Amino acid sequence: MKKLAPPTYDDNAALDSLGSNKRLDSYPRLLHHLPKLKAGYAHYVAANGNVSAVQPVTISKVTARFLRGYYGSPPAALSYITTMREESDSNTCPMCGSLHSGTLDHVMDKDSHPAFSVFTQNLVPACKCNSKRLKPLVGANPGERILHPYFDTVLAQRIVAARFTDLGPVPHVETRIVLDATDPHYAATIFHHNSVVMRTSIHGYLARNWAAMLRRPALAVPDLKRDPISRNEMVAMIQNERDRTDDARESRNNWDSVYLSGLLDDDVIDWLYQQIGRPGRRPGGPLF
């Protein structure tokens, strides 16, 4: 998960150019829908991309089919879609926090909301979580909704951490929300975590990193090529590595930072420091 600056393309100008193009099959049908589409786009932005507040835009099935088709094969007026695809190779998936992306995701999916098929504020870089996340955009309880990378500033905070229990070669691995429960975005964050993040392979990724760390601690935290002289120094080493990862990935919720946050839990730190000081272990050697 990652907060992004919204794109700055002129959607209204693109719609005008698209609707007035007599060489496209959508002419003149699309022309008649332009005021409605522009009003829908303006409301989407006014609602700050909050999917529970964005009003649906009703268009004909024929126009819906044209817009979905233009997303797949953009005409010249929508060349920004091709550019956004080419530039979507983010170092952290804005939707789930994985370490790659490479495609575009419709925050409000184009099948249920075809009016937003080509709307730039509705198109965000994403990884394959794009095809795995649950369809419902809102939950049954107040505040439950998908977070939007262009609008929800809570994505700039640290909101997800790993949780390791049954510590040993194969611990139990979970992810948990670390956002304060009184935060106004708490319900949305829980919903997004369950609908998007939990549908990915994040738990497997965290488990593999744990196993690698047991084999060679410096793989997780390069400073651990040298054994820390105190528990506090080990905490500082892990925190420094997490800060560096946050900066490099431009996100506090990338999967590596989620992993390192889990290592900083008191019970995990205690266990790791005990393993580092285990009698007979050579410096920098395996922890288990």
Side-chain angles (χ1 to χ4, degrees), residues 10-271:
D10 189 336
D11 289 283
N12 285 345
L15 281 179
D16 286 335
S17 178
L18 190 69
S20 61
N21 190 338
K22 297 180 180 179
R23 291 174 296 179
L24 295 175
D25 292 340
S26 56
Y27 183 86
R29 294 183 182 87
L30 181 58
L31 200 57
H32 301 313
H33 286 287
L34 293 190
K36 188 183 295 186
L37 288 170
K38 290 180 181 179
Y41 289 5
H43 183 265
Y44 188 112
V45 174
N48 290 319
N50 181 334
V51 295
S52 63
V54 174
Q55 295 175 352
V57 179
T58 304
I59 55 177
S60 69
K61 290 183 179 178
V62 174
T63 300
R65 188 170 68 247
F66 281 133
L67 289 178
R68 285 194 290 259
Y70 291 153
Y71 171 74
S73 300
L78 303 180
S79 59
Y80 59 80
I81 294 177
T82 301
T83 302
M84 291 179 77
R85 283 196 179 107
E86 291 172 349
E87 295 176 348
S88 68
D89 194 15
S90 171
N91 60 2
T92 299
C93 175
M95 294 299 286
C96 77
S98 77
L99 307 186
H100 40 79
S101 56
T103 185
L104 286 180
D105 188 14
H106 291 84
V107 176
M108 300 182 73
D109 70 274
K110 64 182 185 298
D111 291 330
S112 302
H113 306 278
F116 300 125
S117 294
V118 298
F119 181 38
T120 57
Q121 309 288 317
N122 191 48
L123 303 177
V124 298
C127 69
K128 57 186 178 183
C129 70
N130 176 26
S131 60
K132 293 183 175 180
R133 68 180 171 104
L134 297 177
K135 284 289 185 183
L137 299 174
V138 298
N141 300 309
E144 292 182 342
R145 62 176 175 84
I146 290 288
L147 294 172
H148 199 308
Y150 294 145
F151 295 95
D152 285 311
T153 56
V154 70
L155 288 169
Q157 301 181 42
R158 195 177 310 285
I159 57 180
V160 180
R163 178 63 183 142
F164 299 103
T165 54
D166 299 331
L167 303 179
V170 187
H172 180 68
V173 181
E174 295 179 297
T175 49
R176 69 186 196 281
I177 300 301
V178 295
L179 186 69
D180 192 294
T182 62
D183 189 285
H185 292 90
Y186 187 75
T189 302
I190 292 283
F191 183 81
H192 187 99
H193 171 260
N194 293 342
S195 298
V196 181
V197 181
M198 291 288 286
R199 306 285 294 179
T200 69
S201 59
I202 186 171
H203 289 173
Y205 182 83
L206 297 172
R208 289 193 297 277
N209 275 14
W210 175 273
M213 178 194 64
L214 291 194
R215 189 172 70 252
R216 187 176 177 186
L219 291 176
V221 179
D223 285 350
L224 286 176
K225 62 185 177 186
R226 170 181 71 77
D227 287 351
I229 60 174
S230 69
R231 183 185 187 279
N232 286 343
E233 187 186 29
M234 188 172 71
V235 170
M237 287 175 169
I238 297 173
Q239 287 177 332
N240 288 339
E241 180 60 17
R242 188 179 64 173
D243 290 345
R244 188 199 65 76
T245 302
D246 289 349
D247 286 343
R249 294 286 177 182
E250 301 176 282
S251 163
R252 294 178 176 180
N253 300 292
N254 71 82
W255 286 7
D256 280 343
S257 291
V258 169
Y259 165 71
L260 292 165
S261 293
L263 299 187
L264 288 167
D265 284 340
D266 282 341
D267 59 333
V268 179
I269 286 288
D270 288 342
W271 187 85

